[in-house]
Amino acid sequence: MGEEFLVNLKYSPDIPHSVDVIEAGGLTKYYGEFLAVDHISFRVKKGEIFGFLGPNGAGKTTTIRMLTGILKPSEGWVRIFGLDTGKDILRIKEDIGVVPEMANPYIDLTAMQNLFLVGRLYGMRKGEIRERGEELLHLFGIYDKKDKKVRSFSKGLRQRLSLAMALLPDPELLFLDEPTSGLDVMSARLIKRIIRDENKRGKTIFMSTHNMGDANELCNRIAIINHGKIIAIDTPEKIKSMSKGHTVIEVSFEPFKFKPGDFAYGEKIEIAGDKVRIHTRYPDDVIKEIVHYAEKNKLKIVSLTSRTPTLEEAFVHLVGDESE
Ligand SMILES: Nc1ncnc2c1ncn2[C@@H]1O[C@H](COP(=O)(O)OP(=O)(O)OP(=O)(O)O)[C@@H](O)[C@H]1O
Ligand SMILES: [Mg+2]
């Protein structure tokens, strides 16, 4: 940790400097008898985009609600900026922004009035709120709607305003619960770009998602949560490499001639459109076999690619395909 790190911190001097912005230990939530979050522990470093990836009902929202002091854990502890959420939640809240699962602006207020409400809560001056608020409304492409009641906003527009509200006080740490869920391609791209830009400006981001593509594109590290337990926690690339088929080889022949059973190697062989897709731990053997097969059957190899599994393939492998 260099000098630079200390200088860049915005926290007041009474807050201990810590590289770990979020720390959770044995964090657990029971709803009655039902165990929704099961003794999870993890750390998020300053400047990371940390993804919480899991299927519906895995415990993502429950975890975010415990991290942000909305829900009291049944067991375990959380420290944000080195402070205990059980004791110092008010101080912590000054420096965090939260975008909940359901966009939360008041529908009977206009976009600008919602921003004022947040700004006043954080003790910002009126001029400051107006200036930064307008800047954010421009950034989110909703400036022309600033004096319209939120009631008339679509889901995507409400989501944009919700993120603008979270960013208004310029918090150090952002919690985003599925920031792109249900958004069209352009809105999702806009929100992802803003997440990336905020991160470049030094913000730490904790986001939940079930979108593998987003997690892969945005996150430095990912925790995979299923049935309330963290089953893997690592970089997207490392998570991909945990998947059983370490390599995926795709080959296309002309004429296309192939039936399962033609190949001896490969743990999983499937036909995908005009390609054969082979999951294997032994890519070298498989490629030799493909070449031999093509020669023997007088086939031309039109394309041959080898790649690591996508995050989605790795996820299905780790979580198990419950639809099968
Ligand atoms: N207030 C509650 N009372 C009882 N059970 C709850 C409550 N809130 C959530 N649960 C249950 O706890 C589990 C975890 O829910 P949670 O909302 O944290 O999941 P999630 O990972 O956010 O799912 P999704 O992807 O659908 O948003 C689910 O089985 C859910 O039904
Ligand atoms: Mg949720």
Side-chain angles (χ1 to χ4, degrees):
M1 182 168 78
E3 288 288 319
E4 197 186 32
F5 173 75
L6 291 173
V7 172
N8 284 340
L9 285 178
K10 189 187 123 193
Y11 323 140
S12 327
D14 58 314
I15 296 206
H17 298 299
S18 166
V19 183
D20 290 322
V21 173
I22 305 174
E23 299 161 273
L27 195 59
T28 300
K29 184 69 195 179
Y30 284 95
Y31 290 113
E33 299 275 284
F34 179 73
L35 182 53
V37 173
D38 187 0
H39 301 88
I40 60 171
S41 302
F42 59 91
R43 289 162 187 273
V44 177
K45 289 196 249 334
K46 183 175 162 59
E48 272 193 306
I49 303 185
F50 188 85
F52 221 51
L53 190 64
N56 289 137
K60 303 182 294 296
T61 298
T62 303
T63 302
I64 290 186
R65 292 168 69 89
M66 289 192 284
L67 296 177
T68 54
I70 295 166
L71 202 62
K72 198 172 166 325
S74 310
E75 289 169 34
W77 52 268
V78 177
R79 276 198 293 267
I80 307 278
F81 310 128
L83 300 174
D84 189 332
T85 50
K87 289 196 221 106
D88 294 308
I89 192 64
L90 291 177
R91 180 63 195 88
I92 292 167
K93 280 196 171 164
E94 289 175 19
D95 253 331
I96 65 174
V98 183
V99 179
E101 192 163 35
M102 300 293 179
N104 61 342
Y106 286 100
I107 57 173
D108 288 323
L109 298 181
T110 66
M112 203 62 201
Q113 285 169 338
N114 268 288
L115 287 165
F116 263 94
L117 197 68
V118 173
R120 297 306 276 178
L121 274 176
Y122 279 83
M124 292 169 72
R125 284 177 296 104
K126 274 191 180 157
E128 197 186 355
I129 300 173
R130 181 162 306 282
E131 193 179 325
R132 183 151 167 83
E134 290 188 352
E135 190 187 313
L136 285 164
L137 293 173
H138 274 298
L139 182 66
F140 284 95
I142 48 175
Y143 183 77
D144 58 332
K145 297 203 161 34
K146 78 182 168 73
D147 298 319
K148 293 268 182 319
K149 283 199 174 154
V150 172
R151 184 181 291 284
S152 67
F153 284 28
S154 69
K155 177 184 159 70
L157 299 182
R158 287 179 197 199
Q159 186 72 358
R160 292 185 200 188
L161 177 60
S162 192
L163 194 47
M165 285 160 65
L167 290 175
L168 183 77
D170 204 19
E172 282 293 324
L173 169 61
L174 276 171
F175 290 93
L176 312 175
D177 197 352
E178 303 202 29
T180 60
S181 118
L183 300 187
D184 68 29
V185 177
M186 292 315 285
S187 302
R189 279 172 66 109
L190 174 74
I191 287 191
K192 282 188 275 183
R193 199 191 73 216
I194 292 169
I195 292 173
R196 238 183 246 118
D197 287 349
E198 288 298 319
N199 177 249
K200 279 200 200 112
R201 293 179 52 230
K203 291 199 195 318
T204 308
I205 290 153
F206 183 101
M207 58 179 274
S208 80
T209 179
H210 33 229
N211 186 320
M212 317 297 148
D214 288 357
N216 192 31
E217 260 177 71
L218 289 170
C219 299
N220 304 105
R221 282 194 308 136
I222 294 171
I224 295 188
I225 178 165
N226 195 30
H227 299 303
K229 283 198 179 71
I230 290 180
I231 54 173
I233 182 162
D234 220 320
T235 62
E237 290 306 314
K238 290 256 183 63
I239 295 219
K240 285 184 221 168
S241 72
M242 280 173 206
S243 177
K244 148 172 88 180
H246 286 304
T247 306
V248 179
I249 294 171
E250 283 180 346
V251 58
S252 161
F253 301 114
E254 204 178 87
F256 187 76
K257 175 179 176 287
F258 178 80
K259 50 183 191 325
D262 280 354
F263 283 6
Y265 290 108
E267 286 165 48
K268 186 170 155 197
I269 302 178
E270 52 194 354
I271 295 175
D274 62 347
K275 287 181 265 301
V276 183
R277 185 177 297 149
I278 303 158
H279 296 249
T280 181
R281 282 176 193 276
Y282 309 102
D284 182 57
D285 289 338
V286 169
I287 290 171
K288 283 179 187 147
E289 195 183 17
I290 289 171
V291 172
H292 179 69
Y293 178 82
E295 278 172 355
K296 196 173 75 184
N297 293 285
K298 300 198 170 29
L299 305 175
K300 190 174 141 202
I301 296 176
V302 182
S303 67
L304 176 65
T305 55
S306 134
R307 60 173 173 83
T308 52
T310 61
L311 195 54
E312 182 161 345
E313 286 162 340
F315 182 88
V316 169
H317 173 63
L318 289 167
V319 170
D321 192 342
E322 285 167 5
S323 69
E324 271 178 7

